[in-house]
Amino acid sequence: MKLGALEAGGTKMVCAIGDETGRILDRMTIPTDVPSVSVPRMTAYFAEHGVEALGIGCFGPVELQEHSPRYGYITSTPKQGWRDYDIVGAFAAALHCPVGFDTDVNAAVLGEAVFGQAQGLSCVVYVTVGTGIGAGIYIEGKLLHGMQHPEAGHVPVSHRADDGYKGRCPYHRDCLEGLASGPAIEERWGEKAALLADRAEVWELEADYLAQALTGYILTLSPEKIILGGGVMHQEQLFPLIRRKTTEMLGGYLQAAALGDMDSYIVPASLHDDQGILGCLELARRALCP
Ligand code: ADP
Ligand code: ZN
């Protein structure tokens, strides 16, 4: 099978050609411009390679309800030109092939579940901590959509009394994303997050907010593994802090064996930053052979 994959992000569009085994044969990355500029370049690329199906993992919010007249649309993004944009329709019309569609984070968890460290598991959560915070949820072979799709980056967290930063989420101010995204770290401490590596207090606070959210995800979804990716998670010192705080916050209530080995329970992404694009290949495969 010759499959196309598109990881559609707010700053760049990663396109790849591959097959159902997760082999990537070619790739092309372009900056995200307005659709009238970016989309024709991408459709030309996929058409030239003769893909049989395309999978798109997209920045959101997106409409995933197949019965909705707006299925396949990017909905309320502030990104210029992409608001209320029918991305699935645009690619389907140009390529005349099946198009699979999901959120970027759902594509990432699918990549890990099919090709990476989460193979064989039935419930997996993938959290990206970058410009925003988002979570993809893989559950019994499927990606969780529900009424729309999870927006677990916006869960409320307890705002620490010693944190004077007000939070930056335009909707909730001090939700998880408002307090713990890369831009929140940079606004709070007045420095690029990558340059704060040796400031212990930065990562202790960051780990606290992330552990609060993870504790909620664990108690709600009972995942067998939690994978953390995104730019902020390049700070590897966060992992032991998050594992320790999550264990403390769970308070010994859950007796699951997986929690006895936190080093393999809360883990970094395993596919060299290809988890998203590989998940898009799988979305394409599923669109071709449902
Ligand atoms: P995006 O979320 O836009 O897809 P990233 O996941 O790379 O992209 O996240 C970008 C954010 O991650 C930046 O705003 C920055 O704050 C943060 N970031 C990037 N690199 C690092 C690093 N090495 N250490 C800490 N934070 C980083
Ligand atoms: Zn929010």
Side-chain angles (χ1 to χ4, degrees), residues 15-279:
C15 304
I17 310 298
D19 66 18
E20 71 281 8
T21 67
R23 198 157 54 104
I24 292 176
L25 308 165
D26 193 67
R27 61 173 95 206
M28 169 186 88
T29 300
I30 60 170
T32 303
D33 203 323
V34 291
S36 59
V37 175
S38 302
V39 173
R41 286 182 69 184
M42 295 188 282
T43 53
Y45 174 77
F46 291 120
E48 185 188 312
H49 285 275
V51 299
E52 294 165 68
L54 175 68
I56 304 175
C58 192
F59 68 92
V62 293
E63 179 56 66
L64 298 178
Q65 295 288 346
E66 290 191 20
H67 57 74
S68 165
R70 280 159 53 84
Y71 169 76
Y73 278 60
I74 299 172
T75 58
S76 57
T77 177
K79 186 88 197 152
Q80 205 218 330
W82 295 91
R83 190 187 176 99
D84 300 316
Y85 181 71
D86 180 9
I87 187 168
V88 169
F91 281 92
L95 298 173
H96 309 287
C97 72
V99 177
F101 185 53
D102 219 304
T103 62
D104 46 6
V105 275
N106 264 350
V109 75
L110 184 62
E112 290 282 1
V114 174
F115 301 113
Q117 62 190 324
Q119 288 177 59
L121 301 184
S122 76
C123 182
V124 186
V125 175
Y126 180 98
V127 184
T128 182
V129 189
T131 307
I133 301 184
I137 298 166
Y138 175 88
I139 198 147
E140 284 157 10
K142 294 189 173 164
L143 295 165
L144 182 61
H145 293 165
M147 64 174 178
Q148 187 196 26
H149 48 75
E151 284 284 3
H154 290 270
V155 292
V157 288
S158 167
H159 197 158
R160 256 188 25 189
D162 63 348
D163 177 17
Y165 177 63
K166 65 184 191 324
R168 60 180 288 135
C169 174
Y171 297 94
H172 319 108
R173 194 171 50 87
D174 59 353
C175 67
L176 177 68
E177 179 173 298
L179 291 173
S181 66
I185 296 171
E186 296 178 351
E187 195 172 55
R188 178 189 289 108
W189 302 99
E191 182 69 274
K192 285 267 161 226
L195 301 177
L196 291 164
D198 53 7
R199 297 269 300 275
E201 68 276 24
V202 172
W203 309 109
E204 189 276 328
L205 183 66
E206 178 71 10
D208 199 280
Y209 291 135
L210 290 169
Q212 288 189 47
L214 264 47
T215 300
Y217 306 158
I218 293 167
L219 293 166
T220 308
L221 295 162
S222 194
E224 295 154 291
K225 197 178 277 297
I226 297 182
I227 303 168
L228 303 179
V232 172
M233 296 312 303
H234 288 138
Q235 296 296 322
E236 289 174 8
Q237 71 273 31
L238 276 171
F239 282 92
L241 291 169
I242 293 168
R243 290 176 187 129
R244 179 171 57 74
K245 285 173 182 282
T246 304
T247 302
E248 282 167 17
M249 289 176 197
L250 287 168
Y253 177 58
L254 302 177
Q255 296 300 312
L259 297 176
D261 179 10
M262 288 302 263
D263 290 355
S264 30
Y265 185 66
I266 296 175
V267 293
S270 69
L271 293 166
H272 312 287
D273 278 336
D274 276 348
Q275 56 278 5
I277 205 77
L278 290 171

